[in-house]
Amino acid sequence: MNGALLQGALAGLASGGLYAVLAVTLTLMSRLVRVVNFAQAATGMFAAFSAVWLASSLGFPVWLATVAGVVIGALLSAVIGWIAATWLSESSVTLRSAMTVAPLLMLISLSFILFGNKPQPFSPLLSGAAFTAAGVVVSWVTVVMVILAIVVAAACALLLQRTTIGTRLRALSERPTTAELIGIAAKPLSIGVWAVTGAISAITIMVIAPSQSNDAVSLSMLIIPASAAALLGGFRRLDLAVVGGLALGMITGIVAQLPSVQFVRNFIPFLFIVLLLLWSQRKEVWGEAR
């Protein structure tokens, strides 16, 4: 049983890395452009499906189709960001976040029209076993996803803390009016954040999609566990977003190995969200009780 649980935990790290990367992009969006982007995974899904179509229907080499997919993901996200920056720049976080539900539904519907509603024939970008730990085979997909999550979070943290662009982005997020008054170009910077997170989402989903349920709805709904992971850090801390994503993936993998509780596997992100929300409100509740 212990071996099965270890196998489940290691298998869950691949999904955990995916959740962690998406959680990092959600955290960046929340911190820098004041929005929880519910279309984050859908953007990556549509970009990945476009790459598959370019490779299978137009005969593009896989590497070229992959690059084109990343560009499509960045452009799609940039368009959504342009809309938010143009017409909703002074709106509340709630309203700006609610706006992203529209592109989420639109991209799912458009993918049905253009690509059908069946799983796509992804060509694996990574395959094979990387190494064996305690008798459990760990795939290259798992290794790359975990490394990608850590690298993306670390790179974003360094960018925000050690570069001029990072300083401007932090100024824009914390004191937007003052930042604009001293000449910081708010709109291009915010659209740039949208574009970069869209490209990261596209890369991540193209790596993981061949080993996941890769229909449009399943990939788009990855936003739920990603949001649960980002919530661990309050949509502010990149390190806790990574920890939350990896932990959520491992827990899901372990539960999948337990027949008696396997049926709750799909509900774990929701339970995670509920528990974190209750924990975040503990001070108010305890204060009223006292």
Side-chain angles (χ1 to χ4, degrees):
M1 178 60 74
N2 290 337
L5 295 181
L6 177 60
Q7 184 175 6
L10 291 176
L13 276 177
S15 296
L18 169 63
Y19 304 155
V21 176
L22 292 178
V24 168
T25 62
L26 288 174
T27 301
L28 283 175
M29 296 291 287
S30 176
R31 284 181 58 177
L32 302 180
V33 295
R34 299 181 297 110
V35 63
V36 177
N37 183 13
F38 293 110
Q40 192 76 58
T43 303
M45 172 276 297
F46 193 87
F49 279 20
S50 299
V52 171
W53 180 78
L54 289 172
S56 60
S57 298
L58 298 186
F60 278 39
V62 173
W63 69 268
L64 184 58
T66 301
V67 172
V70 174
V71 173
I72 290 170
L75 290 176
L76 280 173
S77 194
V79 169
I80 302 171
W82 177 80
I83 293 171
T86 302
W87 286 293
L88 298 172
S89 60
E90 301 299 325
S91 300
S92 66
V93 175
T94 301
L95 182 58
R96 289 162 64 84
S97 301
M99 177 275 295
T100 64
V101 175
L104 162 66
L105 299 176
M106 183 192 72
L107 289 171
I108 293 175
S109 300
L110 194 58
S111 71
F112 286 163
I113 295 170
L114 297 178
F115 310 118
N117 59 358
K118 296 181 180 179
Q120 298 298 303
F122 281 91
S123 298
L125 298 180
L126 298 167
S127 61
F131 60 89
T132 301
V136 179
V137 176
V138 179
S139 68
W140 276 112
V141 171
T142 299
V143 172
V144 169
M145 291 308 301
V146 173
I147 293 175
L148 185 62
I150 296 171
V151 168
V152 169
C156 291
L158 287 174
L159 174 71
L160 293 175
Q161 298 295 329
R162 301 293 179 86
T163 67
T164 302
I165 292 178
T167 302
R168 290 177 179 177
L169 285 170
R170 286 188 290 114
L172 188 62
S173 65
E174 295 169 9
R175 297 288 187 273
T177 303
T178 304
E180 290 191 61
L181 288 175
I182 63 175
I184 294 177
K187 191 172 180 179
L189 278 176
S190 63
I191 293 174
V193 173
W194 282 83
V196 169
T197 56
I200 293 172
S201 298
I203 294 170
T204 306
I205 288 181
M206 280 190 278
V207 171
I208 198 70
S211 59
Q212 296 274 321
S213 298
N214 58 36
D215 60 280
V217 174
S218 296
L219 291 177
S220 297
M221 289 303 104
L222 288 171
I223 194 64
I224 296 173
S227 298
L231 187 59
L232 181 64
F235 287 92
R236 301 294 299 175
R237 289 188 54 177
L238 297 172
D239 55 344
L240 289 182
V242 173
V243 171
L246 296 178
L248 191 56
M250 292 178 69
I251 292 170
T252 304
I254 290 171
V255 170
Q257 300 296 320
L258 301 173
S260 59
V261 294
Q262 194 178 68
F263 68 96
V264 304
R265 179 178 57 179
N266 294 328
F267 301 102
I268 289 176
F270 296 101
L271 295 173
F272 206 74
I273 290 172
V274 170
L275 291 174
L276 287 174
L277 288 175
L278 290 174
W279 179 254
S280 67
Q281 298 300 313
R282 68 193 185 283
K283 291 182 180 179
E284 295 182 12
V285 174
W286 291 349
E288 290 180 5
R290 286 196 297 269

